[in-house]
Amino acid sequence: MFEGTITINNREIPRTLLGTSPFIGAAHFGHRSRLYQLDLYDKPENILKILKKSHELGITGIQLIPYEPVVKALNWAVDEGYDFNIVGTVRQDCENEDIELLSQLGASAMILHDAAADSLNYDFLAEKLEDIQQTGAVPGITTRKPFNTTKNLLESPILDLFDIYMVPVNKLGYLMDTDAFIAKERGEFRDIIVKLNKTIIAMQTMAAGILTPDDAFDFLKTLDYVDLMTVGIASEREAEETFGLLKNK
């Protein structure tokens, strides 16, 4: 499941990416955010262990949020011979710096942060997507409002400026802009995503840890519009359990 690579604009990208949200203690993890900050963000040597273990399990792609401790750990891994194919997230208020940094790191793709996409500020989005294109990386955007933003993008002037679209999707509809995510909503969501006609990366696939990997992956197998997935891992043990299971799906 989600094995191998996909080619986008002559860039070959692994279909499964190691997510880095746990490494930065992202807020959507609730009470675990503080623990992740203490155990990972403040201790990049622990991030390095997860990077190495994931790579040894065959996960050679990373969805990099370029905070300093994460970049430091990634550089350490590369120095030890663990090369990663980078799909980078360009952070809010750090757009120019992150595009430059990710270009220096050799990122295959760069995805603009969700605040940019969800604001529907098309002039700003166009400018930054063109900046990404100039680096040679595949341009993309992400959203935290996959229903509303996708519907607006279908009629937007930037539709031809990006190739990758990263969206939260899981069987619960958690962290998606919908009160329910059952048959009706799932069908509606599929219709607009397919109409958008972009390469889709699924994120929040385990609903910030509410779902087990088994439940999350079984649901993803039912979605014919997802091309790649990113999975956040917080320990070597989680890497073994999650990526080991993924191989058997």
Side-chain angles (χ1 to χ4, degrees):
M1 181 178 175
F2 290 99
E3 296 177 334
T5 61
I6 188 169
T7 301
I8 313 169
N9 293 355
N10 298 316
R11 291 280 195 155
E12 196 171 346
I13 300 173
R15 296 188 68 214
T16 298
L17 304 171
L18 174 64
T20 55
S21 290
F23 299 166
I24 66 169
H28 61 258
F29 290 110
H31 71 279
R32 284 173 293 150
S33 297
R34 180 59 177 161
L35 298 176
Y36 291 162
Q37 181 177 353
L38 293 171
D39 293 341
L40 297 170
Y41 188 87
D42 292 345
K43 297 177 181 178
E45 62 272 19
N46 289 337
I47 298 176
L48 173 63
K49 293 176 183 178
I50 298 171
L51 293 176
K52 292 167 64 175
K53 175 59 69 174
S54 299
H55 197 285
E56 289 163 2
L57 291 166
I59 306 303
T60 60
I62 184 170
Q63 189 258 309
L64 177 67
I65 308 172
Y67 285 88
E68 183 178 356
V70 188
V71 174
K72 181 183 291 186
L74 178 60
N75 284 331
W76 287 343
V78 171
D79 289 344
E80 292 188 32
Y82 294 84
D83 289 329
F84 281 89
N85 191 316
I86 298 171
V87 174
T89 295
V90 176
R91 297 170 296 166
Q92 185 176 12
D93 299 324
C94 300
E95 291 86 2
N96 294 339
E97 298 90 338
D98 282 359
I99 290 171
E100 182 178 355
L101 172 61
L102 291 167
S103 180
Q104 292 172 353
L105 292 172
S108 295
M110 300 184 203
I111 300 175
L112 284 176
H113 55 85
D114 54 271
D118 295 337
S119 73
L120 304 175
N121 183 340
Y122 297 131
D123 289 340
F124 178 82
L125 286 165
E127 177 186 344
K128 297 309 170 187
L129 288 169
E130 288 169 357
D131 288 344
I132 292 171
Q133 287 178 335
Q134 290 175 8
T135 72
V138 181
I141 59 177
T142 188
T143 179
R144 297 284 178 179
K145 299 178 180 179
F147 280 87
N148 182 69
T149 296
T150 306
K151 291 173 184 176
N152 280 282
L153 286 172
L154 287 169
E155 306 298 330
S156 77
I158 66 163
L159 192 57
D160 294 331
L161 295 182
F162 67 99
D163 299 287
I164 294 175
Y165 191 44
M166 187 161 70
V167 298
V169 59
N170 55 74
K171 68 184 292 185
L172 302 177
Y174 185 67
L175 299 173
M176 301 173 69
D177 55 337
T178 179
D179 293 328
F181 196 54
I182 50 180
K184 176 179 178 292
E185 292 81 11
R186 291 175 185 178
E188 177 187 352
F189 189 61
R190 181 191 180 278
D191 288 346
I192 58 176
I193 288 290
V194 169
K195 189 177 294 185
L196 194 68
N197 193 30
K198 302 296 179 183
T199 298
I200 303 299
I201 301 179
M203 64 176 180
Q204 310 298 352
T205 51
M206 290 189 282
I210 297 173
L211 295 171
T212 66
D214 204 18
D215 281 344
F217 297 157
D218 281 347
F219 177 68
L220 283 178
K221 286 170 64 175
T222 70
L223 307 181
D224 61 0
Y225 53 81
V226 174
D227 303 293
L228 305 92
M229 65 179 294
T230 177
V231 182
I233 298 294
S235 69
E236 293 176 271
R237 178 184 57 79
E238 280 189 18
E240 290 177 342
E241 293 176 352
T242 303
F243 296 134
L245 176 64
L246 189 60
K247 289 181 180 179
N248 296 319
K249 287 293 182 180

